């Protein structure tokens, strides 16, 4: 479904990703872990199409297409979803209006008819239960005045409505207390589908207690230096990132 | 007769004296006895200060020279130029609001006005009638708040005003439906000047919503010089709004002076789309404890328009909140000016004063001048201000695009939202919905909003 090959990228002349290779198949959940500054968020932003990054080498193939040539909105319509680390507050844009516009763009791309107001409302009400959200949420402007936890729940709620093929969760656990973390990860788990995939980006193993990955990758200094199964995350938790770095003499 | 000194500035104000002499001869018997000396004092004040210049700190971004050079033609006769009743239909809000006073070139048009029988005890009439019928009550309030103090235009209005609205909600009375005041110009040639004058009194515990609208029939050069005085009594709730949609060649000077007692809830909106040059002086005195005041403004300008909002909010007593929210969307070579002064007196402890001014520039030649000014003499207060001038936020655009929304739609959504966050604060639903629709249409007409 997603194949990242030898991806080199940076910003303002500074190289951040130095040859990332990663393959994700349908139905899989991958976790990308790494210390601060390793390039985790850069990877997430580049996959979603954030402007301002310079791709110096490599390619990304998504469902047989060259992903990096697509605009952010085209990627979203093709089924890519980024749950933002810092969801943006957009005063004056009503949440329901925004989400309906987004959903209908994606439906149009799939050749499906627009949902009308009644159909849309029925759909979102069902999805709101999943994230334990109250209905007044929809009446509020996008993320405006939301607490950190509400913003993250809103991201997963949008994911539930838009039903992406590939969901990229960028530090979705940051700023969440344990209750909010459970609600959010429970929501993410319920959205798992055989044909869909999830890429979970996190600094801490804590999230992976709730969203259990099939594969774990360690990103360090712009490269994936270790890949393994879930056990790798637990070892990292116990021994810290230093443990891996010391084992890779070429990194020191 | 009025003795004048021939100074340099007097040359500009001379024509005003000539007109006043004529006015004095024909009109000095109009209204109660106390009024004429007040008019005279207004003229003297105007003569003394003259038109402001860029050297004046409060006018440093707004050059009124083109206005000063306009031939001054005050409209004294109400008979001419009245449009037919049906022609009021296309004007925004006039259809949806069932209670309205319509003034044409500053004079009441009884045909176009519509005052329902049941008004919840609120008196709604034109000022001229009120001056005739209730001079003592008016004497206690008229010109007590606007004074002739800090600006010569208010003084000029006092000297020359013809008519305007008088709205009086006695203690405990109230109307849930809004009252609409329409000021229409039918001017066809340069210089016609009207001086609308409004007095709104909401006594203890009353509730009112009053919206002023300024429209024109022709795209002519004329001058509207309006003054509105507002008195908000203890625990009264008053929503006031002004929609300025004058001809794009017009000059519009307006001041709103509000005096707030204890525990009031006062919000005032200023939505400005018209006029070549417009200036809104907004003066608030929070003279009681525990009151809330919201000043909310939106200006859309293009071409060579200049739109200036100049606020002075005076916190004279403790435990009051004042919040100012002004957004501007500027295109062409237009300019937006925001000047917000918050003045906190020593006894006004626990003041919470907030001020934001955001400007969105749609063209490289548009500009915004924003000047917050805090003068705080109390020590236990919370005062904040923030201002932005620039383009749309890239983060917001990316967020919308990352959800599948195309770039153009994302831009439009954000521009509409920028206006929408101000419109949203209008409580009166019919007004909010209609202005929302109207602003949406105006923005959609702008190629800058859809293009790029």
């Amino acid at each position: 479904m997603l194949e990242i090959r030898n991806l080199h990228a940076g910003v303002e002349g500074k190289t951040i990703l130095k040859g990332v290779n990663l393959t994700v198949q349908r139905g899989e959940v991958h976790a990308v872990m790494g210390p601060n500054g390793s390039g985790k968020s850069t990877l997430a932003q580049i996959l979603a199409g954030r402007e301002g990054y310079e791709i110096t080498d490599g390619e990304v193939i998504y469902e047989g297409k060259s992903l990096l040539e697509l605009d952010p909105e085209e990627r979203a319509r093709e089924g890519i979803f980024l749950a933002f680390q810092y969801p943006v507050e957009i005063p004056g844009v009503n949440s329901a209006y925004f989400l309906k516009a987004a959903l209908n763009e994606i439906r149009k791309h799939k050749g499906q008819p627009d949902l009308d107001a009644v159909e849309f409302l029925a759909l979102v009400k069902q999805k709101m239960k999943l994230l334990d959200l109250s209905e007044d949420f929809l009446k509020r402007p996008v993320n405006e005045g939301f607490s950190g936890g509400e913003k993250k729940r809103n991201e997963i709620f949008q994911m539930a409505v838009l039903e992406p093929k590939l969901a990229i969760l960028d530090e979705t656990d940051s700023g969440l207390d344990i209750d909010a973390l459970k609600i959010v990860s429970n929501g993410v788990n319920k959205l798992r589908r055989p044909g869909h995939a999830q890429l979970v980006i996190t600094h801490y193993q804590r999230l992976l207690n709730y969203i259990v990955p099939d594969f774990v990758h360690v990103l360090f200094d712009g490269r994936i230096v270790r890949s393994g199964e879930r056990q790798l995350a637990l070892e990292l938790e116990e021994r810290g990132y230093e443990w891996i770095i010391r084992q890779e003499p070429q990194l020191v | 007769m009025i003795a004048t000194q021939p100074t340099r500035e007097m040359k500009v104000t001379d024509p005003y004296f000539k007109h006043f002499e004529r006015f004095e001869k024909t009109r000095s018997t109009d209204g109660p006895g106390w009024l004429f000396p007040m008019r005279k004092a207004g003229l003297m004040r105007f003569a003394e200060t003259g038109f402001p210049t860029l050297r004046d700190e409060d006018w440093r971004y707004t050059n009124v020279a083109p206005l000063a050079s306009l031939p001054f033609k005050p409209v004294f006769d109400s008979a001419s130029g009245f449009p037919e009743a049906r022609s009021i239909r296309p004007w925004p809000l006039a259809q949806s609001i069932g209670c309205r006073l319509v003034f044409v070139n500053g004079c009441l048009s009884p045909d176009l006005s519509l005052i329902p029988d049941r008004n919840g005890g609120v008196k709604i009439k034109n000022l001229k009638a009120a001056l005739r019928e209730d001079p003592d009550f008016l004497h206690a309030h008229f010109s007590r708040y606007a004074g002739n103090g800090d600006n010569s235009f208010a003084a000029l209005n006092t000297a020359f005003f013809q008519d305007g609205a008088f709205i009086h909600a006695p203690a405990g009375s109230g109307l849930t439906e809004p009252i609409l005041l329409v000021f229409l110009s039918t001017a066809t040639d340069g210089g016609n000047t009207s001086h609308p004058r409004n007095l709104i009194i909401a006594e203890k515990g009353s509730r009112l919503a009053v919206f002023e609208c300024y429209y024109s029939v022709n795209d002519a050069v004329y001058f509207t010089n309006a003054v509105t005085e507002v008195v908000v009594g203890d625990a009264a709730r008053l929503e006031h709004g002004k929609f300025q949609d004058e001809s794009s060649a017009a000059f519009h000077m307006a001041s709103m002076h509000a005096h707030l007692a204890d525990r009031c809830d006062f919000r005032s909106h200023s939505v400005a789309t018209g006029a070549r040059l417009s200036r809104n002086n907004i003066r608030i005195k929070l003279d009681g404890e525990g009151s809330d005041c919201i000043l909310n403004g939106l200006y859309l300008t293009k071409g060579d328009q200049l739109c200036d909002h100049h606020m002075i909010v005076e916190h004279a007593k403790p435990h009051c909140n004042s919040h100012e929210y002004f957004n501007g969307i500027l295109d062409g070579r237009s300019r937006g000016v925001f000047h917000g002064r918050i003045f906190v007196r020593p006894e006004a402890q626990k003041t919470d004063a907030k001020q934001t001014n955001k400007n969105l520039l749609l063209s490289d030649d548009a500009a915004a001048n924003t000047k917050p000014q805090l003068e705080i003499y109390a020590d236990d207060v919370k005062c904040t201000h923030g201002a932005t001038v620039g383009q749309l936020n890239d983060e917001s655009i990316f967020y919308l695009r990352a959800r599948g929304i195309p770039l153009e739609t994302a831009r439009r959504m954000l521009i509409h939202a920028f206006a929408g966050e101000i419109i949203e604060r209008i409580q009166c639903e019919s007004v909010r919905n209609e202005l929302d629709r109207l602003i949406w249409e105006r923005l959609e007409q702008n190629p800058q909003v859809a293009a790029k």
Side-chain angles (χ1 to χ4, degrees):
Chain A
M1 169 180 257
L2 179 75
E3 198 177 345
I4 304 171
R5 293 181 196 147
N6 192 33
L7 184 63
H8 286 69
V11 66
E12 286 165 4
K14 186 176 167 253
T15 309
I16 300 170
L17 301 183
K18 301 170 181 171
V20 173
N21 290 291
L22 181 68
T23 302
V24 178
Q25 308 288 355
R26 286 167 196 270
E28 293 176 349
V29 175
H30 288 244
V32 174
M33 300 183 70
N36 290 332
S38 59
K40 300 189 299 289
S41 280
T42 299
L43 179 62
Q45 298 270 321
I46 287 174
L47 291 177
R50 183 81 163 103
E51 282 166 10
Y53 292 99
E54 207 183 325
I55 314 292
T56 47
D57 202 1
E59 60 180 345
V60 179
I61 306 298
Y62 168 74
E63 299 274 74
K65 293 192 180 80
S66 175
L67 185 71
L68 300 178
E69 285 165 21
L70 302 180
D71 284 336
E73 56 267 39
E74 291 171 326
R75 300 181 197 199
R77 292 175 209 154
E78 291 287 345
I80 288 186
F81 179 92
L82 171 66
F84 281 62
Q85 182 179 6
Y86 303 109
V88 184
E89 296 197 14
I90 311 184
V93 176
N94 171 278
S95 291
Y97 173 75
F98 153 70
L99 198 52
K100 185 162 171 267
L103 179 62
N104 281 334
E105 288 290 347
I106 291 168
R107 288 179 64 89
K108 190 166 74 188
H109 183 73
K110 289 183 188 166
Q112 297 167 336
D114 278 10
L115 286 190
D116 66 23
V118 177
E119 293 165 325
F120 174 73
L121 202 65
L123 173 74
V124 294
K125 274 186 181 169
Q126 179 203 336
K127 304 290 185 185
M128 286 179 106
K129 281 192 203 127
L130 197 69
L131 274 304
D132 199 19
L133 290 168
S134 70
E135 273 179 40
D136 74 305
F137 211 77
L138 284 173
K139 293 178 193 148
R140 293 161 68 185
V142 180
N143 291 321
E144 195 191 28
F146 286 20
S147 69
E150 282 179 320
K151 282 181 186 170
K152 295 299 175 79
R153 265 194 279 169
N154 190 23
E155 294 294 290
I156 306 307
F157 166 60
Q158 292 173 25
M159 173 180 158
V161 173
L162 301 179
E163 297 190 319
K165 286 188 216 162
L166 174 66
I168 303 158
L169 310 181
D170 188 8
E171 309 248 4
T172 293
D173 51 330
S174 68
L176 291 188
D177 63 26
I178 193 71
D179 293 332
L181 183 66
K182 280 182 186 166
I183 294 171
V184 164
S185 15
N186 190 32
V188 173
N189 288 334
K190 282 186 186 159
L191 295 172
R192 263 178 114 151
R193 303 278 183 276
H196 294 181
Q198 294 174 350
L199 188 61
V200 181
I201 290 171
T202 182
H203 183 98
Y204 301 103
Q205 124 77 18
R206 183 179 76 145
L207 177 67
L208 305 181
N209 288 333
Y210 301 95
I211 302 173
V212 179
D214 302 306
F215 300 97
V216 174
H217 311 274
V218 178
L219 188 68
F220 181 78
D221 193 26
R223 267 183 288 256
I224 288 180
V225 295
R226 182 74 67 91
S227 293
E229 296 189 357
R230 194 192 166 206
Q231 188 58 29
L232 177 59
L234 298 172
E235 270 180 81
L236 270 176
E237 168 88 338
E238 205 175 303
R239 302 183 178 192
Y241 288 109
E242 282 297 307
W243 162 65
I244 286 190
I245 296 160
R246 277 200 311 274
Q247 287 184 337
E248 305 284 333
Q250 78 276 18
L251 294 177
V252 182
Chain B
M1 282 301 295
I2 296 152
T4 59
Q5 297 296 316
T7 64
R8 221 178 128 261
E9 241 165 10
M10 293 303 285
K11 282 176 187 158
V12 178
T13 54
D14 265 351
Y16 295 83
F17 275 87
K18 226 170 64 210
H19 280 288
F20 196 76
E21 283 170 24
R22 187 188 143 205
F23 187 63
E24 189 177 12
K25 281 179 199 136
T26 57
R27 296 284 176 141
S28 57
T29 53
D30 275 13
W34 50 261
L35 183 58
F36 198 74
M38 227 177 231
R39 287 189 183 276
K40 236 172 178 172
L43 188 72
M44 293 310 289
R45 177 69 187 158
F46 173 68
E48 212 177 285
T49 43
F51 284 108
T53 68
L54 296 176
R55 286 191 303 275
D56 186 334
E57 187 55 30
D58 283 344
W59 294 81
R60 59 184 291 193
Y61 302 115
T62 300
N63 186 1
V64 301
L67 168 60
S69 60
L70 197 71
F72 178 63
K73 296 184 203 157
V75 181
F76 295 135
D77 304 313
S78 54
S80 61
F82 269 38
E84 288 181 33
R86 61 186 153 83
S87 65
I88 195 164
R89 279 194 202 133
W91 299 327
L93 299 169
Q95 277 278 70
S96 53
I97 296 178
C99 178
R100 60 171 185 258
L101 287 172
V102 179
F103 299 87
V104 178
N105 303 323
C107 300
L108 180 76
S109 163
D111 290 348
L112 299 179
S113 301
L114 183 67
I115 303 296
D117 298 335
R118 288 162 185 266
N119 292 321
V122 179
K123 290 178 198 157
I124 304 164
K125 58 179 83 168
N126 60 323
L127 188 66
K128 215 177 202 172
L131 283 165
R132 200 168 50 232
E133 293 160 15
D134 209 355
D136 293 342
F137 182 79
L138 266 86
H139 193 207
H141 292 289
F142 184 82
S143 210
R144 301 287 162 185
Y145 314 100
N148 291 320
D150 77 274
N151 87 84
S152 51
F153 291 106
L156 188 66
N157 176 291
T158 302
F160 283 105
F161 79 88
Q162 287 288 298
D163 210 346
F166 171 72
I167 297 164
H168 175 206
S173 67
L175 260 182
T176 45
E177 290 302 303
I179 301 165
L180 186 70
L181 309 177
V182 177
F183 299 92
L184 181 70
S185 167
T186 62
T188 49
D189 58 345
N192 275 6
T193 301
S194 67
H195 302 275
R197 179 75 177 218
N198 306 308
L199 178 60
I200 303 166
I201 298 170
E203 287 195 42
K204 190 172 179 174
S206 64
R207 193 177 172 181
L208 269 184
V210 182
F211 292 87
E212 304 173 28
C213 298
Y214 294 83
Y215 303 134
S216 73
V217 169
N218 305 305
D219 203 27
V221 182
Y222 61 90
F223 173 28
T224 303
N225 181 34
V227 171
T228 298
E229 290 180 283
V230 177
V231 188
V232 192
D234 291 348
R237 291 177 64 186
L238 175 59
E239 179 166 37
H240 167 263
K242 181 172 159 244
F243 176 42
Q244 186 270 102
D245 195 28
E246 304 263 27
S247 131
S248 60
F251 296 91
H252 179 96
M253 298 285 144
S255 58
M256 194 272 287
H257 300 256
H259 187 271
L260 276 60
D262 287 338
R263 293 167 286 110
C264 331
D265 183 340
F266 176 65
R267 55 178 67 198
S268 180
H269 316 281
S270 172
V271 176
T273 53
R276 171 182 166 194
L277 175 70
S278 65
R279 161 83 167 207
N280 290 280
N281 285 313
I282 298 174
R283 305 286 180 261
I284 308 292
K285 184 166 185 178
L286 290 142
D287 204 17
E289 296 192 17
S291 285
D292 274 317
C293 171
I294 290 176
L295 302 178
N296 186 42
L298 173 68
Y299 41 98
L300 310 184
T301 58
K302 57 188 185 211
D304 286 315
Q305 286 182 300
L306 185 152
C307 180
D308 180 350
H309 281 90
H310 190 284
M311 270 71 61
I312 301 176
V313 176
E314 178 184 349
H315 283 261
K317 295 282 161 60
H319 297 284
C320 289
N321 304 325
S322 70
H323 291 170
E324 295 166 49
Y325 309 93
F326 281 77
N327 284 9
I329 302 176
L330 313 170
D331 195 11
R333 291 172 305 273
S334 70
R335 285 219 348 253
V337 179
F338 171 93
H339 185 146
R341 190 151 113 211
I342 296 171
F343 182 71
V344 182
R345 291 198 178 277
E347 59 269 44
Q349 299 294 2
K350 306 285 181 191
T351 287
D352 184 346
K354 193 160 75 180
Q355 196 182 68
T356 53
N357 174 227
K358 296 193 281 185
N359 294 282
L360 187 57
L361 306 182
L362 297 182
S363 86
D364 293 341
D365 298 324
N369 300 107
T370 175
K371 188 182 171 194
Q373 200 182 348
L374 304 179
E375 279 178 61
I376 302 168
Y377 298 100
D379 49 23
D380 186 10
V381 300
K382 206 163 87 188
C383 293
T384 59
H385 63 80
T388 58
V389 177
Q391 322 295 324
L392 289 169
N393 184 328
D394 287 341
E395 296 283 332
S396 305
I397 291 180
F398 176 60
Y399 190 80
L400 297 173
R401 293 180 79 189
R403 296 294 178 257
I405 294 168
L407 173 62
E408 242 176 50
T409 311
R411 287 187 74 250
R412 275 176 51 210
M413 240 185 209
L414 292 173
I415 293 170
H416 285 300
F418 194 78
E421 55 179 294
I422 298 297
I423 301 291
E424 254 168 30
R425 282 194 198 90
I426 299 174
Q427 283 175 320
C428 179
E429 200 183 346
S430 54
V431 175
R432 183 178 66 237
N433 290 343
E434 193 155 346
L435 284 180
D436 190 45
R437 184 188 54 76
L438 189 123
I439 295 295
W440 182 283
E441 282 172 11
R442 293 288 169 91
L443 286 170
E444 287 295 307
Q445 283 162 14
N446 185 335
Q448 290 295 330
V449 176
K452 278 186 191 174

